[in-house]
């Protein structure tokens, strides 16, 4: 069993930056892929970014490519999402999720464990 806890969300002006963290406990994240997803009110949960177990491969949604960076520190059992040049449309609850080998890293159902989410609000 893996427990995931997100942190780092908050209120920021457009153009600003935030760094989200996804900390794991209960079991090492080192052998799992991790994805970041977000869900805005009235919308479906959508893929933001993903990283393989060793950080060797990353993937991003087109809407965040060039602005967000996913990284991981397996020694700290933590995955990060650096978000730069934030836009009001980035406002959402952000979730991290993990799975040993996601069937499709961009699909929420591919993941076994989820955090409780952290709110990101970007004002214009």
């Amino acid at each position: 069993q893996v427990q995931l806890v997100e942190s780092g969300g908050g209120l920021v002006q457009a153009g600003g930056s935030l760094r989200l963290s996804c900390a794991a406990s209960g079991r090492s994240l080192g052998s799992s892929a991790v994805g970041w997803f977000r869900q805005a009110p009235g919308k479906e949960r959508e893929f933001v970014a993903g990283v393989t177990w060793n950080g060797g491969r990353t993937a991003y949604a087109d809407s965040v490519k060039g602005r967000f960076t996913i990284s991981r520190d397996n020694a700290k059992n933590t995955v990060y999402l650096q978000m730069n040049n934030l836009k009001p449309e980035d406002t959402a609850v952000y979730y991290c999720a993990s799975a040993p080998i996601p069937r499709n890293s961009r699909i929420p159902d591919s993941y076994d464990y989820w955090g409780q989410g952290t709110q990101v609000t970007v004002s214009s």
Side-chain angles (χ1 to χ4, degrees):
Q1 194 81 358
V2 176
Q3 291 80 45
L4 302 175
V5 177
E6 302 94 337
S7 62
L11 173 64
V12 64
Q13 288 188 330
S17 299
L18 284 173
R19 188 198 197 199
L20 304 184
S21 297
C22 172
S25 62
R27 194 196 294 179
S28 171
L29 261 187
S31 58
S32 295
V34 174
W36 282 98
F37 292 78
R38 66 188 181 187
Q39 189 165 18
K43 295 188 176 181
E44 292 188 353
R45 192 166 298 191
E46 64 173 359
F47 171 79
V48 175
V51 63
T52 51
W53 69 274
N54 63 353
R57 293 178 62 184
T58 58
Y60 297 92
D62 288 344
S63 60
V64 307
K65 203 172 292 184
R67 300 187 297 122
F68 291 11
T69 302
I70 189 171
S71 62
R72 66 189 302 160
D73 185 340
N74 286 344
K76 295 183 178 180
N77 230 15
T78 302
V79 174
Y80 305 97
L81 184 68
Q82 177 67 42
M83 307 187 295
N84 297 329
N85 191 21
L86 282 160
K87 304 175 180 180
E89 51 264 43
D90 294 319
T91 295
V93 177
Y94 283 70
Y95 300 89
C96 65
S98 71
I101 305 175
R103 175 171 47 85
N104 183 326
S105 63
R106 297 174 182 263
I107 298 177
D109 285 350
S110 297
Y111 293 85
D112 302 316
Y113 302 102
W114 289 83
Q116 82 292 346
T118 185
Q119 176 70 47
V120 171
T121 303
V122 184
S123 63
S124 56

